[in-house]
Amino acid sequence: FSGDRAYLVSAEQGRHPTVRVWAMSSGRCVAILMGHHRDVTSVAMSHDGFQLAAVGKDDRGKTLILVWDIQSLCTDTQNPKGADVIVRQTTETPISKIYFSPLERERIVTWGAGSIKFWRRHQHASTKRLCGTSVKLPAEFAQSDFTALAFEAVYTTPDLNSRRFYGATTDGRLQQFQYGSRELEAVHELQPGHAITSLAMDAGHAVTGSADRKVHI
């Protein structure tokens, strides 16, 4: 969903998949986007609704991140349109999910097997590439398979060094990171032996869904 819940994004698997943007008020498709050769596995819309990111595969089987500028698409709900690709980035980094950071404009976060990575568009506007920085994982957690990511709900200070984000893993751990330094602060053994499949954070609380078919707070 977009930040104001006015639009919904859907994606396809298979060959030559499409990504579609839907207006919630009318149920109409307002945009049809393409660019991956196959298997779009994750999509995200920026919090201001101006950009849409998707992860899939290119024609060589490499992981491909595409970002479209969709700011002008939602004005005509009668005729679905395409959009300009502003980022096209292939990577060897394992990615299962993509997300726009709620703390920094145009900062993209990806996660997957053994990896959480923060991306920013290259400083040269004419270059459709991303610059990426991986989160620092100690050797004992270097093989963590991240399944979900959530950001701490902080409503006061804008200081990024005081913010935290959390990564859930297939071995039931919740890893706590300092946002500014991207460093691991703590590891919480929440559900040993059960993969955490979804995660939400609020002030002082973590809510998880897991492979044991239970919701935990």
Side-chain angles (χ1 to χ4, degrees), residues 86-89 121-130:
I86 59 175
V87 168
R88 183 181 180 88
Q89 178 72 47
R121 193 177 175 188
H122 198 280
Q123 60 182 354
H124 298 295
S126 60
T127 303
K128 296 182 179 182
R129 297 185 64 82
L130 296 172

Side-chain angles (χ1 to χ4, degrees), residues 28-110:
R28 291 181 178 273
C29 176
V30 298
I32 300 176
L33 311 174
M34 298 184 69
H36 296 92
H37 184 69
R38 61 180 175 87
D39 295 345
V40 173
T41 56
S42 181
V43 295
M45 188 179 289
S46 62
H47 297 274
D48 59 13
F50 292 169
Q51 297 182 8
L52 192 155
V55 175
K57 298 294 185 180
D58 67 7
D59 56 0
R60 296 174 295 172
K62 289 189 174 183
T63 298
L64 174 63
I65 301 172
L66 292 179
V67 181
W68 293 272
D69 179 358
I70 61 170
Q71 185 173 359
S72 64
L73 293 184
C74 300
T75 57
D76 184 356
T77 60
Q78 301 300 319
N79 301 297
K81 306 175 185 176
D84 293 331
V85 174
I86 59 175
V87 168
R88 183 181 180 88
Q89 178 72 47
T90 56
T91 179
E92 300 293 337
T93 301
I95 297 175
S96 58
K97 298 290 183 182
I98 192 167
Y99 194 70
F100 282 90
S101 168
L103 305 180
E104 294 180 275
R105 188 173 182 272
E106 296 189 2
R107 176 76 75 175
I108 292 173
V109 189
T110 61

Side-chain angles (χ1 to χ4, degrees), residues 89-164:
Q89 178 72 47
T90 56
T91 179
E92 300 293 337
T93 301
I95 297 175
S96 58
K97 298 290 183 182
I98 192 167
Y99 194 70
F100 282 90
S101 168
L103 305 180
E104 294 180 275
R105 188 173 182 272
E106 296 189 2
R107 176 76 75 175
I108 292 173
V109 189
T110 61
W111 62 96
S115 171
I116 300 175
K117 197 164 186 175
F118 284 73
W119 306 82
R120 186 182 290 279
R121 193 177 175 188
H122 198 280
Q123 60 182 354
H124 298 295
S126 60
T127 303
K128 296 182 179 182
R129 297 185 64 82
L130 296 172
C131 299
T133 303
S134 294
V135 167
K136 304 166 186 175
L137 293 173
E140 61 267 37
F141 300 116
Q143 301 303 314
S144 297
D145 189 355
F146 292 98
T147 56
L149 203 70
F151 293 82
E152 185 179 46
V154 179
Y155 305 103
T156 54
T157 174
D159 179 15
L160 295 181
N161 289 319
S162 68
R163 303 291 184 98
R164 293 176 175 83

